[in-house]
Amino acid sequence: MSSVEISCPNCGEPETGFDTRFDVDGGICGQCGFVVTAESVPMGPLDDEVPPHDAGTQGEWIAKARDSSEEALVRLLVDLDRCASDLLLSKTELDRTSELLVEVWKRNLLHGRKKENVIGAVLIISLRELENPRPIGLVANTLGVERVSLQRTTKKILRGMSLSLGPPLATQYLSFIGMKLSLDKETISAAEKVIDQPEMIRGDPATTAAAALYLVAKPRGEPITFDSAGSAAGSTKETVWRRAKLLRDRQSHR
């Protein structure tokens, strides 16, 4: 009985190694990231047939697949996966961000935009939807883009998707920044009490969260500095210092 074994035409990885998580037409090779579709994989010969030799055929359909918009999507998803560690993305967060990125691709909202800005914008939107946002400055640093251009792209993606988001609260950043700084849950919980009226504190809420964590962690002997707090919040040590002073002054006047 004849059988046809499918493998990645780019690196030879068998079909069992294909990644089928994403809503694309075919599998994605888990080894090299190649999009394996019905068009990109020619049907193999029957067992009793001798395949014709055509040295140019393979290069032609590999080029065709790599030039497709679907291949562009795969590259975006691969780049997103690379951010998962630095941004401490859970499986739920990564899956939701991937789904939204596919939707952005389907609506052709990538055109004319830098891919890193699009990935960052989708991360910001999806994580704010899940009420566990990441500091926009840190997302920008992780992807190597300017904060202002990332904010601009985020607004455009929101309009293109007909989405609206409320402003994030400083308390929503405490868990992530605390984990980045290796602080325990007790310290993170104590920092929440420092931010009793977040709407009264102007400026970047992630920096406010970092400053609150600093004020709580430092007296407890935690190895935290304004520099490390600023890095975790995608901010600067000077900005965290000023925000910590503001929070300290507010506490002294209660």
Side-chain angles (χ1 to χ4, degrees):
M1 183 177 179
S2 298
S3 63
V4 177
E5 295 183 359
I6 297 176
S7 61
C8 174
N10 192 44
C11 69
E13 179 76 4
E15 184 179 11
T16 54
F18 293 174
D19 189 341
T20 58
R21 287 180 300 164
F22 308 117
D23 183 19
V24 297
D25 182 19
I28 301 170
C29 178
Q31 184 68 25
C32 69
F34 184 82
V35 181
V36 185
T37 67
E39 291 76 20
S40 68
V41 180
M43 292 300 294
L46 298 178
D47 291 345
D48 56 354
E49 292 181 346
V50 178
H53 178 70
D54 185 348
T57 301
Q58 184 179 32
E60 289 175 3
W61 47 254
I62 287 179
K64 180 180 178 181
R66 289 196 179 283
D67 287 342
S68 70
S69 60
E70 190 168 273
E71 180 71 10
L73 171 62
V74 172
R75 292 183 184 278
L76 287 171
L77 293 169
V78 170
D79 288 343
L80 172 60
D81 278 341
R82 291 178 182 147
C83 300
S85 178
D86 287 343
L87 298 177
L88 305 181
L89 299 179
S90 67
K91 183 180 183 304
T92 297
E93 292 169 340
L94 183 58
D95 286 348
R96 173 55 188 148
T97 305
S98 298
E99 290 171 1
L100 186 57
L101 190 56
V102 170
E103 187 62 29
V104 166
W105 171 74
K106 286 181 176 179
R107 296 195 185 195
N108 197 30
L109 297 176
L110 303 175
H111 183 67
R113 299 189 174 105
K114 190 174 181 179
K115 67 172 184 175
E116 290 83 3
N117 279 330
V118 173
I119 294 171
V122 172
L123 275 164
I124 290 167
I125 294 169
S126 63
L127 295 173
R128 282 176 62 181
E129 282 181 340
L130 295 171
E131 297 186 351
N132 193 17
R134 301 298 190 270
I136 188 170
L138 183 61
V139 175
N141 292 340
T142 299
L143 290 164
V145 298
E146 295 294 328
R147 177 172 180 148
V148 173
S149 65
L150 179 55
Q151 290 174 315
R152 188 181 303 118
T153 302
T154 301
K155 291 178 181 178
K156 290 179 178 177
I157 296 295
L158 282 169
R159 286 198 298 269
M161 298 287 289
S162 299
L163 296 173
S164 62
L165 293 173
L169 301 176
T171 50
Q172 294 177 328
Y173 291 96
L174 287 174
S175 178
F176 169 76
I177 296 176
M179 287 191 291
K180 289 289 284 187
L181 295 169
S182 301
L183 301 176
D184 57 34
K185 292 183 179 180
E186 184 180 349
T187 301
I188 295 173
S189 178
E192 189 170 355
K193 299 176 182 178
V194 175
I195 314 172
D196 60 342
Q197 292 179 301
E199 70 279 1
M200 299 297 293
I201 305 173
R202 296 181 179 181
D204 177 27
T207 303
T208 299
L213 287 165
Y214 177 88
L215 291 177
V216 172
K218 193 66 175 179
R220 299 185 179 200
E222 297 286 354
I224 186 175
T225 64
F226 287 124
D227 189 43
S228 64
S231 295
S235 185
T236 65
K237 62 181 180 181
E238 293 82 8
T239 306
V240 175
W241 176 82
R242 287 193 293 270
R243 198 63 53 80
K245 183 177 183 302
L246 175 63
L247 288 173
R248 192 184 291 115
D249 291 344
R250 289 178 70 248
Q251 285 182 305
S252 65
H253 287 89
R254 287 179 184 173

